[in-house]
């Protein structure tokens, strides 16, 4: 069985745990503790995880936001392989497109713990971590919840150095920032619940949550929703073939688990994400056939594009993907230039050999929990989709309910952290009152946020923010 693990990397050192064996459809699979089932399958060259409605499917998002990797684990159906850690002797089976419903619970429910806290933060990405730290350092009791078994969100798979001042972690790589923020949060007294899903909001300021071992009934005085975003899909023939995935999924495989997602890649989208991921693929030993961008110019920073051009990677503006082809998984893709109407000029189409097609075509805010709570949510294209109305202090239309990070609109990690800091301080002011020091720190964070948004990439964001201001 092939091994797609990365054993030598110019930046990262992968600290793999104890070697274990689990079973996938009866076949023994070698893995390392700390990997997920999906990562271990990809490391072993297994691309097909389940049979979907139109054929075989592999992973798409690798962050638990889609259904392409649903499997049955030790008899429990509907488990996301991208979120399930490997364990010795684990039995994993593919699921059909419409698996039977799981049996009703009887007396097998895990124990219930009632949690009373000042501030509940949902989502432990950059925004959630800064929100939790800011509220805890103000002296509040804070609980931070995330469905992954690692804190840090998208930061854990970012290997490039961040721009900006030292206060905004300039010069550090994303995974280093994640480690630093988690350490700060724990030192501030934040209770961090990982592998815990917030599955519902109920009247009386109650959020019900569950982990594999425990259920939680959480009550709060203020809540911050920092649930991030999920990757946007793209419609074209063959888009469900294994090997077609979001660019962030490839980052997760490469940079979090040390697994090459393929041998030769085509990137669709030349914004910052597409350009950065293309360079990270090269670092991981994956050939990049090309980056295609439907617009006439790249959408990301010039410095990221310059790196790719130095390595001879073509960036084809005014081009798009037409089709992905392959028997069971991606073997080639068809690309074509587009006309003034943005339609592909099929007479000029050509085929690119690749086993990996990465979609870097934008993100969609995950505002579902806010919608369930009854917050006013509107569709704002400039911010990526459905986002809540909020004031400059990140408070939504519901008093005491705040939003931070990409759940409120797609931006960069630095602005996500600043919105988290503002939301955390706002929650502290709500609980403790307008103490001068808290108000001063919040105004400083607002000033830093405004400064970060003074780039050409923020013009669209600012137009969107004007539509959601309360």
């Amino acid at each position: 069985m092939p091994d797609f693990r990365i054993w030598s990397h110019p930046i990262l050192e992968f600290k793999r745990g104890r070697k274990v064996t689990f079973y996938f459809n009866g076949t023994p699979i070698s893995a390392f503790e700390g990997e997920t089932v999906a990562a271990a399958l990809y490391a072993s060259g297994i691309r097909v995880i389940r049979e979907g409605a139109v054929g075989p499917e592999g992973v798409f998002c690798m962050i638990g936001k889609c259904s392409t990797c649903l499997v049955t684990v030790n008899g429990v159906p509907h488990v996301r392989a991208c979120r399930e850690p490997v364990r010795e002797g684990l039995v994993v089976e593919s699921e059909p497109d419409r698996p039977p419903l799981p049996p009703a619970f009887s007396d097998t429910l895990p124990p219930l713990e009632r949690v009373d806290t000042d501030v509940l933060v949902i989502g432990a990405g950059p925004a959630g971590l800064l929100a939790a730290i800011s509220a805890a350092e103000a002296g509040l009791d804070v609980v931070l919840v995330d469905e992954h078994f690692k804190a840090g969100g998208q930061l854990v798979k970012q290997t490039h150095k961040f721009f900006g001042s030292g206060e905004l972690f300039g010069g550090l790589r994303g995974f280093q920032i994640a480690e630093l923020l988690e350490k700060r949060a724990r030192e501030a007294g934040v209770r961090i619940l990982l592998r815990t899903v917030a599955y519902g909001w109920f009247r009386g300021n109650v959020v019900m949550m569950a982990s594999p071992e425990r259920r939680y009934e959480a009550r709060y005085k203020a809540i911050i929703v920092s649930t991030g975003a999920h990757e946007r899909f793209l419609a074209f023939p063959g888009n469900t073939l294994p090997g077609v995935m979001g660019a962030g999924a490839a980052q997760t495989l490469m940079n979090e688990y040390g697994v090459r997602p393929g041998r030769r890649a085509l990137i669709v989208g030349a914004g910052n994400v597409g350009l950065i991921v293309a360079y990270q693929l090269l670092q991981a030993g994956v050939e990049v056939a090309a980056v295609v961008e439907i617009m006439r110019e790249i959408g990301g920073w010039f410095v990221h594009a310059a790196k790719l051009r130095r390595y001879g990677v073509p960036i084809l503006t005014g081009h798009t993907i037409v089709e992905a082809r392959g028997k069971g998984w991606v073997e080639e893709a068809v690309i074509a230039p587009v006309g003034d109407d943005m339609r592909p000029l099929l007479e000029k189409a050509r085929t690119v050999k690749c086993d990996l097609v990465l979609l870097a075509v934008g993100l969609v805010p995950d505002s579902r929990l806010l919608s369930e709570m009854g917050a006013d949510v509107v569709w704002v294209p400039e911010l990526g989709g459905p986002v809540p109305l909020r004031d400059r202090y990140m408070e939504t239309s519901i008093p005491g309910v705040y939003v931070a990070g990409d759940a409120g609109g797609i931006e960069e990690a630095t602005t996500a952290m600043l919105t988290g800091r503002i939301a955390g301080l706002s929650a502290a002011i709500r609980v403790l009152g307008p103490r001068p020091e808290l108000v001063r720190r919040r105004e400083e964070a607002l000033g830093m946020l405004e400064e970060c948004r003074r780039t050409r990439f923020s013009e669209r964001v600012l137009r969107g923010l004007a539509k959601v201001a309360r």
Side-chain angles (χ1 to χ4, degrees), residues 4 27 103 115 159 181 187 192 213 251 272 314 319 377 393 441:
F4 279 80
T27 301
V115 176
T159 62
L181 291 179
E187 289 174 346
I192 302 178
E213 297 81 26
Q251 278 188 311
N272 279 326
H319 281 67
V377 173
Y393 302 122
R441 288 170 54 196

Side-chain angles (χ1 to χ4, degrees), residues 271-333:
N272 279 326
V273 172
L275 298 174
I276 289 171
V277 172
Y279 183 69
Q280 291 174 352
L281 285 165
L282 296 174
Q283 290 177 312
V286 179
E287 184 182 356
V288 179
V291 178
V292 297
E293 168 58 56
I294 195 169
M295 304 303 291
R296 302 300 175 184
E297 59 182 29
I298 64 170
W301 291 100
F302 173 78
V303 64
H304 298 314
K307 286 181 182 179
L308 294 181
R309 288 179 172 132
R310 283 199 298 271
Y311 280 87
V313 176
I315 302 175
L316 307 176
T317 56
H319 281 67
T320 191
I321 185 170
V322 175
E323 183 180 3
R325 299 171 178 165
K327 295 180 179 179
W329 60 82
V330 173
E331 297 176 81
E332 63 183 26

Side-chain angles (χ1 to χ4, degrees), residues 31-32 52 65 86 93-94 98 106 132 211 217-218 228 259 267 311 328 335 380 391 432 438 442 452 469:
F32 294 89
K65 301 287 188 181
V86 297
E93 300 169 287
S94 294
R98 290 181 175 85
S106 55
S211 72
E217 181 182 300
V259 175
I267 315 294
Y311 280 87
I335 63 173
V380 182
D391 63 17
L432 299 173
L438 296 178
R442 186 172 68 173
C452 285

